[in-house]
Amino acid sequence: MGTPKKVCIVGSGNWGSAIAKIIGANAAKLDKFDSTVKMWVFEETVNNRKLTEIINTDHENVKYLPGHKLPPNVVAVPDVVEAATGADILVFVVPHQFIGKLCDTLKSHMKKDAIGISLIKGVDEGPDGLRLISDIIREKLGIEVSVLMGANIANEVADEKFCETTIGCKVKEHGVLLKELMQTSNFRITVVEEADVVEICGALKNVVAVGAGFCDGLGFGDNTKAAVIRLGLMEMIAFAKLFCTTGTVSSATFLESCGVADLITTCYGGRNRKVAEAFAKTGKSIEQLEKEMLNGQKLQGPQTSAELNHILKHKNLADKFPLFMAVYDICYEGRPVTEFIKCLQNHPEHM
């Protein structure tokens, strides 16, 4: 049997708290895992109390997942090193722009044989273009990292509504262990080997969702939105084929939850769509709307479009990805949102 494995959740926002509910419940009942699950919480004050204290006494993340009880064996820890020290399994779920700094802090405190799983949707720019978040964690911490991506709106997962998700995992036995830790009767997991494709889907669908939100804000209806989703999916597949030069990219992975399902749910629900709709209607900046609408949560779509813009221009491929480029130009370069429709009308798919 061996010693029970210690689990640490690095991050405690909306999605981090929803996944803590599942992991906490599973760890409490399965002998394979240590029943105490530590969760790193960025300390802030809510109603004159520390957030960690609220979570540890009332077992609720009142800021990011109000109305849901967390299992009492999930313990909030404000110091990330203290939370992660001794952990066998680290679950990373923070906004993608913070991961590099966090890993630098954790670097010398890792168990050699620890394994990681990233639930972070985003990409970073590296010296040669795209860097996956899992690669950043792997390189900085020297541990093996899998990814979990799917059509998983956090509040619905926390409500225990049925949904599916995908774990991308290059090491078979890690996939088996992580599935055990995270699967429930209402949160069904498929494990696939194409981890990089799974992760690219998770990042790029947020950019497409911004485009879907523009359509909603401009009042274009469901046919137009379906075209955005389909053309966006084609750009996602084309991008994955360009950038996953080491492994295979099979269309089958895009039919998993991490692909088409996550794309659809994000283009109809999700914060990227909501903020993009408001952007098209109000003319306020993305930054301003993020502050007004998201209660401290971060938007991933616009920032990912900026990273894509940089990578694709650097490789002279921008004209092959008009939807991704239009999202960037509208969010950051002052291109009128009404011109979004042009990128659909003149898409290379239609030439």
Side-chain angles (χ1 to χ4, degrees):
M1 171 68 223
T3 322
K5 297 198 177 301
K6 292 191 164 120
V7 182
C8 168
I9 301 168
V10 182
S12 55
N14 186 232
W15 186 210
S17 301
I19 215 73
K21 212 179 144 180
I22 289 178
I23 289 175
N26 281 350
K29 63 174 187 248
L30 298 171
D31 295 342
K32 195 171 276 189
F33 304 103
D34 191 301
S35 60
T36 301
V37 173
K38 289 184 180 173
M39 176 168 77
W40 172 62
V41 174
F42 178 78
E43 191 68 279
E44 43 193 319
T45 306
V46 183
N47 309 328
N48 298 321
R49 291 171 73 197
K50 286 181 171 172
L51 186 54
T52 50
E53 183 208 324
I54 298 172
I55 292 170
N56 289 333
T57 51
D58 306 349
H59 307 297
E60 182 183 347
N61 187 337
V62 290
K63 178 155 187 188
Y64 296 109
L65 194 68
H68 288 280
K69 285 290 179 207
L70 295 173
N73 58 313
V74 173
V75 178
V77 180
D79 179 298
V80 71
V81 171
E82 189 189 324
T85 299
D88 299 291
I89 301 171
L90 292 126
V91 180
F92 294 94
V93 53
V94 293
H96 80 273
Q97 46 274 47
F98 302 143
I99 194 65
K101 261 205 175 98
L102 265 178
C103 288
D104 288 338
T105 308
L106 289 173
K107 225 189 309 238
S108 50
H109 302 277
M110 288 295 95
K111 280 178 96 164
K112 287 281 172 281
D113 58 350
I115 64 172
I117 182 164
S118 169
L119 279 61
I120 299 169
K121 293 179 174 175
V123 290
D124 201 5
E125 288 168 51
D128 310 312
L130 180 82
R131 287 189 80 206
L132 297 172
I133 302 301
S134 62
D135 287 339
I136 295 172
I137 301 170
R138 192 177 291 114
E139 283 161 28
K140 286 186 184 277
L141 299 183
I143 61 174
E144 194 45 59
V145 185
S146 303
V147 296
L148 180 145
M149 307 277 150
N152 310 135
I153 288 177
N155 292 27
E156 296 184 14
V157 173
D159 281 336
E160 296 176 32
K161 292 179 174 160
F162 178 84
C163 71
E164 304 171 316
T165 200
T166 312
I167 288 179
C169 190
K170 291 167 186 170
V171 183
K172 269 235 162 70
E173 59 270 27
H174 293 176
V176 174
L177 181 69
L178 292 165
K179 181 171 177 170
E180 249 182 292
L181 177 65
M182 298 167 107
Q183 179 158 275
T184 70
S185 55
N186 282 321
F187 190 67
R188 306 309 292 177
I189 297 172
T190 305
V191 181
V192 302
E193 261 176 58
E194 287 181 17
D196 294 352
V197 180
V198 171
E199 188 167 0
I200 282 176
C201 284
L204 300 188
K205 57 101 200 190
N206 283 330
V207 181
V208 184
V210 173
F214 291 158
C215 285
D216 290 343
L218 296 164
F220 282 146
D222 282 337
N223 294 344
T224 311
K225 198 153 146 180
V228 169
I229 292 171
R230 190 189 74 81
L231 292 167
L233 180 63
M234 299 317 276
E235 289 193 15
M236 285 167 61
I237 294 171
F239 188 89
K241 287 186 170 155
L242 268 176
F243 287 90
C244 292
T245 45
T246 47
T248 51
V249 176
S250 58
S251 301
T253 304
F254 290 91
L255 298 177
E256 294 291 347
S257 182
C258 60
V260 69
D262 195 9
L263 181 61
I264 292 167
T265 198
T266 313
C267 287
Y268 279 90
R271 62 187 99 150
N272 289 281
R273 187 217 62 80
K274 188 168 85 176
V275 173
E277 179 181 25
F279 176 90
K281 282 182 171 163
T282 64
K284 292 177 179 177
S285 74
I286 292 285
E287 292 73 26
Q288 196 180 347
L289 290 165
E290 186 178 62
K291 279 197 187 77
E292 287 175 18
M293 298 172 71
L294 294 185
N295 183 32
Q297 288 177 280
K298 291 284 176 233
L299 261 195
Q300 302 290 14
Q303 189 161 352
T304 302
S305 80
E307 282 143 5
L308 290 179
N309 170 69
H310 197 253
I311 292 161
L312 291 168
K313 283 195 173 143
H314 181 65
K315 297 203 183 272
N316 293 322
L317 290 166
D319 55 340
K320 296 217 171 0
F321 296 89
L323 192 145
F324 290 168
M325 290 300 115
V327 168
Y328 168 77
D329 288 340
I330 291 164
C331 288
Y332 294 104
E333 300 292 343
R335 185 176 176 186
V337 68
T338 46
E339 286 190 12
F340 182 64
I341 210 70
K342 280 189 184 156
C343 83
L344 306 179
Q345 291 164 335
N346 305 324
H347 202 281
E349 282 258 322
H350 298 147
M351 293 302 159

